[in-house]
Amino acid sequence: MNKIIVTIALIFSFSEMSVAQRGMLENHIGARFGLGSGVTFQHRFTDEECIELIALGRNGGLNFTALYEWHNVFFNVRSIRWYMGAGGHAGVYSARAKNFENEIGNTITLGVDGILGLEYFFHAMPLQISIDWKPAFNLVSSGQKFNEWDNGAMSVRYRF
């Protein structure tokens, strides 16, 4: 009998700890559609701060970006938030890669990124939609230098 009570108490305490640790933490995963399309993942530390990881293809290359973002309520509307952030990226481009009809060639890039956008949370379902502008500046490039000032996109994410 004591073993059953201890087992139930342990199960209850672990389930309560997982709820308490979860708190306001949320994860979002989805697709990013724009000039550079791919996948996006967000992990929220608080309602105001999160990290976003993006993997996207553009100009015949593959780019990985990590951003730290700050989110704020937009005009006291609970479902809409504006956000900004900064981070970095690493990219790999093939020999056939082009940027505005200019050959990029085999290139590896490292650089900094910024982001500015709006997001909307559906309360009836675990869905989030965002629109953003994410300029990228290459600091290191093994081939032709180019930057991506025009990288805007719409993202649709599932919240879990």
Side-chain angles (χ1 to χ4, degrees), residues 11-80:
I11 291 171
F12 181 74
S13 66
F14 283 127
S15 66
E16 287 300 311
M17 277 195 313
S18 66
V19 169
Q21 287 175 347
R22 175 98 172 133
M24 295 188 310
L25 301 182
E26 288 189 38
N27 294 306
H28 308 131
I29 191 164
R32 182 176 171 85
F33 306 101
L35 291 176
S37 297
V39 295
T40 173
F41 173 79
Q42 287 182 336
H43 174 73
R44 292 196 179 276
F45 301 111
T46 66
D47 277 348
E48 291 83 26
E49 298 175 327
C50 80
I51 189 167
E52 181 171 4
L53 304 174
I54 301 170
L56 58 87
R58 182 173 182 193
N59 298 329
L62 188 58
N63 216 331
F64 298 98
T65 305
L67 299 161
Y68 192 86
E69 299 173 353
W70 297 271
H71 296 245
N72 293 295
V73 176
F74 188 72
F75 290 114
N76 287 332
V77 179
R78 193 177 89 160
S79 299
I80 302 175

Side-chain angles (χ1 to χ4, degrees), residues 26-31 33 40-44 50 52 69 71 79-81 83 117-123 125-132 154-160:
E26 288 189 38
N27 294 306
H28 308 131
I29 191 164
F33 306 101
T40 173
F41 173 79
Q42 287 182 336
H43 174 73
R44 292 196 179 276
C50 80
E52 181 171 4
E69 299 173 353
H71 296 245
S79 299
I80 302 175
R81 292 181 162 266
Y83 59 95
L118 282 173
E119 61 189 1
Y120 178 79
F121 292 89
F122 290 92
H123 291 286
M125 63 183 103
L127 197 62
Q128 170 200 14
I129 296 176
S130 67
I131 295 176
D132 63 55
M154 181 182 94
S155 298
V156 179
R157 297 181 191 93
Y158 172 74
R159 297 182 301 160
F160 60 98

